[in-house]
Amino acid sequence: NLCQAVCRRINGVSRLHGSILKTRLFSAVSSVRPERYTFVTNGIDHRRWLTQINPRLAALVRECVGEDYLLEPERLDGLLKFENDGAVLERLAAVKQANKEDFAAWFRRSQGALLDPQAVLDVQIKRLHEYKRQLLCAMLIEHLRRRIHDAPNAPFLPRSFVFGAKAAGSYTTAKRIIELLIALGEDINADPFCRGKLQLFFLENYRVSAAEALIPAAQVSEQISTAGKEASGTGCMKLMANGAVTIGTLDGANVEMYERLGSENMQLFGLTEQQVEALRPHYEPRRYYDADPALRAVLDRFSRRFPDLVSGLVYGGDPYMLLADFSSYVKAHDTLYAHIADGREAARMSLVNIARSGYFAADRAVHEYASTIWNI
């Protein structure tokens, strides 16, 4: 309250975050002084998070649009003219494959585990928190494992899920989710039915150097927080700039990413922020458990070793609405993987993501701070 009383500007770090500050969190103050409230969407440094960590991609970008993007990231839009250029898309796919092979080698050295570089690399890298819903992704993975068991000869695009996260030592539930992810990974990676089809790894000691190895290789970016909860992290932007395709909710910077990418280049699912708020007063997660056999099968299996986590969802109110979004999430994954099964389409989506990432630049964010907040 003291900050709001004395500050000239109160800033959100994405459009949605700015709206939440103004209309929900600080609505009483903003109704008196609405001009104090603004937003500047976060950005990343493409010089560091594209050019430095992904030299193969940087070389291809320079050939296509020149070097001016280093100082004017919006010039990455010039890549769009190659959206249907078979030769460029083939080279982009080769860059991604080479980066995956490099990451697999790094992973073997640092983690002692064999990651399949031929599988789609699907990543969720961010702080371990219930609202970021790593547990929802674990539920999807268990559902995929059950699908493989039920129909072992059915077509299945191989995929490797990699999680990277840390959690506060006092955050018991987050640590339990980490335990679940590691246990599920051990089960899946030793399962003969899943061999060559499905892997799950929890990356030890997630840190900047690990991110620099992983982000250039990633193909699918999981941005699945409950709508209305994420302010605006920058991991989604780093993955986008390196050609990963996002599956996500309309939350945080995902909203603005979707405006620039459209449904052809980004996969949405789940409740919107408005739907979450409308459902919350009468949300009964047990109804979803009872009505969906696939969801029930996943949770019943998890409950054998992690009854506390399952109870928190089914009987504890499920505050981040994993059960409400599960079915939509599964369908969205199936849709996205059907698209990227076509190698040329996967490369095209990747190229468009790189091209549209220019807006999410630290350069643009600093200019907006200077002009709209600092007045310099």
Side-chain angles (χ1 to χ4, degrees), residues 221-281:
S221 167
E222 302 278 346
Q223 306 297 329
I224 61 176
S225 53
T226 311
K229 292 295 182 183
E230 183 81 274
S232 178
T234 57
C236 58
M237 303 168 190
K238 294 165 186 171
L239 287 158
M240 177 188 187
N242 283 271
V245 179
T246 298
I247 179 168
T249 52
L250 276 174
D251 189 36
N254 287 357
V255 176
E256 291 154 273
M257 288 170 59
Y258 185 70
E259 289 174 355
R260 287 161 177 78
L261 291 169
S263 58
E264 302 86 2
N265 305 295
M266 178 176 173
Q267 188 67 51
L268 288 183
F269 76 94
L271 301 170
T272 65
E273 187 253 340
Q274 293 81 8
Q275 290 169 333
V276 166
E277 291 306 307
L279 177 60
R280 192 174 299 283

Side-chain angles (χ1 to χ4, degrees), residues 20-32 37:
I20 290 170
L21 293 180
K22 188 172 182 178
T23 63
R24 287 216 317 262
L25 196 59
F26 304 135
S27 58
V29 180
S30 68
S31 65
V32 178
Y37 290 82

Side-chain angles (χ1 to χ4, degrees), residues 46 50 57 61 65 69 72-83 92 240-244 260-261 265 347-360:
H46 287 74
L50 191 161
L57 178 58
V61 169
V65 302
Y69 84 92
E72 300 175 55
E74 293 86 352
R75 289 184 178 269
L76 287 168
D77 270 346
L79 289 170
L80 292 175
K81 65 184 178 184
F82 301 99
E83 184 176 356
L92 180 59
M240 177 188 187
N242 283 271
R260 287 161 177 78
L261 291 169
N265 305 295
R348 186 202 64 77
M349 295 171 74
S350 180
L351 182 138
V352 173
N353 271 267
I354 299 163
R356 292 300 192 193
S357 74
Y359 171 80
F360 299 100

